[in-house]
Amino acid sequence: MTAAPRIGAGADRLAALDRRFLARAVELGRGGWGRVHPNPMVGAVVARDGTVLGEARHEEFGGPHAEAAALAGLGERARGATLYASLEPCRHTGKTPPCTEAIHRAGVARTVFWAAEPGAEAGGGGKWLRRRGVRVDGPFGDRADWAAENPVFFHRAAGSRPYVALKLAVSLDGRIAPGGGRRVWLTGAEARAEVHRLRAGFDAILVGTRTWKSDDPLLTARGAVKPRVPPVPVLLDRRGEATAGLRALNGDVGGRAIVVAASDAAGGLERRLAGRAEVAAVPVTRRGLDLAAALGGLVERGVGSVLCEGGGVLAASLLTGRLVDRLYLFVAPVVIGEGGVPAFPHAAGTIPGARTPPAGGWQARLDPVRFGSDTLIVLDRGG
Ligand code: AOF
Ligand code: ZN
């Protein structure tokens, strides 16, 4: 289940039918989750007089782009039609020829696109088409709207550290577990299936020391979407205590795993793990592993996006360090009550000396979605 795309401000000057096809293009594009990154998810619809002639998505990294795929096979029928795309058609020759040329060659009379292409090389497709007499409408909405749909792609166009999403499952009273180290499942099967689907869209799944010690998680994507490249499990391990038998280091056959340790523990750990995982050495700060350095080290290892799945201490540290770009907040209709572990302990002052992150700054660009009796709230960092 997904929420209908919000194609945003500005699009209200389009006819209702145009908005519908544009939203359809965005929705189609979403089906590329887990298969196209770090490319954007893109969908395209070719229509004439309210009738859809063809539609497609960018299905696979390196494969045909959405526009070219939607036009394929239409031949003369595309002449005079309108093409709707969720992203400005590319103007560059990458792994495939420019979409702009395919659109122009097909005789498309009008192109309506939603997000502006941020890449210097691929960008400018709208202008290119206009110059050749194609009527072009777009972009609509703003960069934050587009980034909400294609977070990793738009982050990559701007940033140097990996895109970081933090998943938290919380009770109605904002707690992630009962006290005393006890563990419970807060969310139901549908929400857990969604987490597996989400995992497929990230380069890495990150957990803190307490989590791998207590849960020995697999950290693989075992959901409806089979990731094109399985996400790499990343374990934080300041003292270098990980062992070669951990499930996350033995999950996907031939898969990678990364253990991040303090510089003084990394050498010994590397020897003990004997090739089972890559060991990244990072400095230690007063609060533990230097998380910004750890994330920087992941970029050097080709990790462009990270889904952090716990635990609470790591989540709080990431939030406090302003290192989180997106929150996936699953809210379960249960109350844990007194003594429970708060989802945002720094706010409750339970980590001595922790800085409280500035209030606000989180934006709900996507609508909440229900999974069984749980609700997923997606919040993107503003500014
Ligand atoms: C589009 N439609 O469906 C996609 C676009 O390496 P390539 O050739 O696949 O090009 C990837 C770049 O093209 C990507 O970084 C982004 O700028 C654009 N992606 N453009 O018009 C599509 N996937
Ligand atoms: Zn293209």
Side-chain angles (χ1 to χ4, degrees):
M1 200 190 119
T2 53
R6 282 202 248 163
I7 55 172
D12 41 344
R13 62 189 157 87
L14 284 173
L17 205 58
D18 289 336
R19 283 204 304 273
R20 206 174 81 207
F21 288 143
L22 209 46
R24 171 71 183 148
V26 175
E27 201 176 352
L28 277 166
R30 288 175 174 178
W33 181 261
R35 306 296 307 178
V36 303
H37 69 278
N39 270 1
M41 294 176 278
V42 186
V45 175
V46 184
R48 189 206 308 269
D49 303 326
T51 304
V52 174
L53 304 176
E55 54 175 36
R57 71 170 62 95
H58 182 40
E59 293 276 3
E60 190 88 7
F61 179 85
H65 288 187
E67 302 90 317
L71 288 167
L74 289 183
E76 280 304 300
R77 288 199 297 144
R79 200 156 289 283
T82 299
L83 181 137
Y84 299 85
S86 61
L87 178 69
E88 182 175 7
C90 72
R91 192 186 42 96
H92 79 310
T93 302
K95 295 179 197 68
T96 69
C99 289
T100 44
E101 281 177 19
I103 292 167
H104 182 53
R105 206 177 327 112
V108 166
R110 180 180 174 224
T111 295
V112 184
F113 71 88
W114 183 54
E117 163 64 58
E121 240 186 82
K127 234 190 223 163
W128 190 97
L129 287 167
R130 251 180 223 125
R131 274 206 304 272
R132 281 155 187 81
V134 179
R135 182 181 156 198
V136 179
D137 295 301
F140 299 99
D142 61 25
R143 195 180 165 107
D145 292 323
W146 311 330
E149 287 288 342
N150 272 297
V152 175
F153 176 71
F154 279 94
H155 176 84
R156 189 172 58 112
S160 55
R161 68 168 171 76
Y163 179 80
V164 177
L166 171 62
K167 185 223 86 179
L168 284 172
V170 302
S171 63
L172 286 179
D173 52 342
R175 299 173 196 267
I176 56 174
R182 274 179 304 139
R183 305 191 44 79
V184 289
W185 275 111
L186 289 178
T187 50
E190 291 93 337
R192 272 179 266 159
E194 175 62 4
V195 172
H196 277 279
R197 195 190 69 83
L198 289 175
R199 283 181 176 181
F202 288 86
D203 289 343
I205 313 296
L206 171 70
V207 294
T209 309
R210 290 179 200 209
T211 299
W212 62 258
K213 275 191 179 172
S214 67
D215 300 0
D216 193 13
L218 255 173
L219 303 178
T220 52
R222 306 183 295 283
V225 174
K226 186 177 169 349
R228 184 178 65 87
V229 181
V232 181
V234 179
L235 311 184
L236 295 189
D237 182 18
R238 175 184 172 177
R239 295 186 188 81
E241 299 164 308
T243 53
L246 285 170
R247 300 210 302 160
L249 310 188
N250 296 273
D252 281 307
V253 180
R256 297 169 70 192
I258 300 174
V259 182
V260 182
S263 306
D264 60 4
L269 178 66
E270 193 153 26
R271 275 193 300 282
R272 262 181 294 114
L273 292 183
R276 190 57 84 184
E278 300 163 36
V279 176
V282 302
V284 173
T285 69
R286 211 156 40 83
R287 270 185 258 277
L289 283 174
D290 182 337
L291 292 178
L295 292 171
L298 292 180
V299 172
E300 284 164 22
R301 289 165 195 270
V303 172
S305 59
V306 176
L307 177 64
C308 174
E309 293 205 32
V313 174
L314 173 59
S317 304
L318 286 170
L319 283 167
T320 306
R322 298 180 62 79
L323 294 168
V324 179
D325 298 295
R326 166 168 284 188
L327 277 172
Y328 288 110
L329 203 61
F330 287 90
V331 182
V334 296
V335 172
I336 290 181
E338 279 304 298
V341 181
F344 302 101
H346 47 272
T350 52
I351 294 183
R355 284 170 291 142
T356 302
W362 293 100
Q363 301 182 338
R365 294 273 170 178
L366 302 174
D367 290 328
V369 188
R370 202 158 57 80
F371 290 97
S373 50
D374 306 315
T375 305
L376 171 61
I377 298 170
V378 182
L379 296 172
D380 289 322
R381 187 146 71 113

